[in-house]
Amino acid sequence: MSHLVVRDLSVVLDRRAVLSGVGLDVRDGDWLAVIGANGAGKSTLLRALAGVLPFGGEVLVDDVPLRRLKPRERARLLACAPQSPALPVDMTVFDYALLGRTPYIPYLGRESRHDREVTASVLERLDLSPLAARPLARLSGGERQRVVLARALAQQAPVLLLDEPTTALDLGHQQQVLELVDRLRLADGLTVVTTLHDLSLAGQYADSMMLLSGGRVAASGSPAEVLTGELIGEHFDARVRVAAGPGGRPEVHLERP
């Protein structure tokens, strides 16, 4: 398990401040859900944490500043499953998941037997073994999401970043993906950070939440502290009713004006 700390993170793109002064603290094995309206900076935050975008401030995993690490070293600490990855249509499920082992393969080298065993084990845990030889073009939406997750898990990094893992999935597949992430988090002690549009889903699964608005942290805390009618109304321009669901977790219901 690993402790993720972000201090005063900022991102400037095309001379515009997209994120300013963002801080977060995710304890070992916890799940943080980042929420916010479109354009709030959620995906930018995950891309900065993953090292895809330049940023100001500090990101630490177990007190190790990621800025000092080479990309391969960073990839051994943080794995990221992007919202809309480029999926080579002719590549097989196994070969795509095997790309997650890249941080461990020497330059100009080939994957080892261990790399292939790790990849096969991940596919088995995600119920993807029967699809290992299938081209990515022949997968359903839910299968593609699991394959993207498989590549991230094959990195064996203690911190997992997931950008909208339920995008374009029906209700059943949304639940399957989030239940799978939760089981893997508990079994492997992963520290998880996800962005999620569905506020009720975020409230059901996350240990803590952070609300971004205009590139800044508008609220953070437990799901019950962040998912309030007042905060949602102010930052999403929506009229909602928040009720306690199973286990006392908040559920958000839209109401007609």
Side-chain angles (χ1 to χ4, degrees), residues 44-256:
T44 300
L45 173 61
L46 260 61
R47 293 174 67 197
L49 296 181
V52 177
L53 293 176
F55 64 89
E58 196 169 33
V59 179
L60 303 99
V61 175
D62 291 336
D63 296 324
V64 176
L66 297 190
R67 189 185 298 278
R68 300 179 185 175
L69 301 181
K70 296 178 180 178
R72 290 165 66 88
E73 295 172 327
R74 178 192 288 261
R76 296 182 184 185
L77 291 177
L78 293 100
C80 183
Q83 182 178 161
S84 301
L87 298 178
V89 294
D90 295 328
M91 183 174 282
T92 67
V93 167
F94 185 89
D95 287 341
Y96 183 79
L98 184 61
L99 293 176
R101 300 300 300 166
T102 301
Y104 304 93
I105 299 173
Y107 290 112
L108 302 179
R110 292 185 58 83
E111 70 275 3
S112 66
R113 178 179 177 181
H114 176 67
D115 294 322
R116 299 185 70 85
E117 288 175 346
V118 168
T119 302
S121 175
V122 168
L123 293 182
E124 183 177 359
R125 295 179 71 185
L126 300 183
D127 295 325
L128 290 170
S129 295
L131 306 180
R134 182 175 297 183
L136 296 176
R138 292 175 51 200
L139 299 179
S140 68
E143 290 166 346
R144 283 195 297 270
Q145 291 290 69
R146 280 188 288 150
V147 170
V148 173
L149 180 58
R151 174 177 172 170
L153 292 173
Q155 286 181 226
Q156 293 187 311
V159 178
L160 183 61
L161 310 175
L162 304 175
D163 192 7
E164 297 292 349
T166 59
T167 294
L169 297 182
D170 58 38
L171 285 175
H173 285 114
Q174 288 181 28
Q175 186 177 53
Q176 289 173 19
V177 167
L178 293 179
E179 285 291 332
L180 177 59
V181 171
D182 201 36
R183 288 199 304 272
L184 294 170
R185 174 181 70 95
L186 296 174
D188 297 349
L190 298 175
T191 299
V192 177
V193 179
T194 57
T195 62
L196 286 168
H197 273 301
D198 191 308
L199 302 184
S200 288
L201 280 178
Q204 293 301 305
Y205 286 92
D207 298 303
S208 60
M209 302 184 72
M210 182 173 72
L211 170 61
L212 284 180
S213 181
R216 295 182 177 273
V217 178
S220 62
S222 69
E225 292 172 321
V226 176
L227 292 181
T228 67
E230 181 179 357
L231 283 171
I232 294 171
E234 177 182 357
H235 296 284
F236 289 86
D237 192 24
R239 180 174 176 177
V240 300
R241 174 175 55 85
V242 181
R249 287 178 171 267
E251 293 181 342
V252 180
H253 305 276
L254 283 173
E255 289 190 334
R256 295 188 66 179

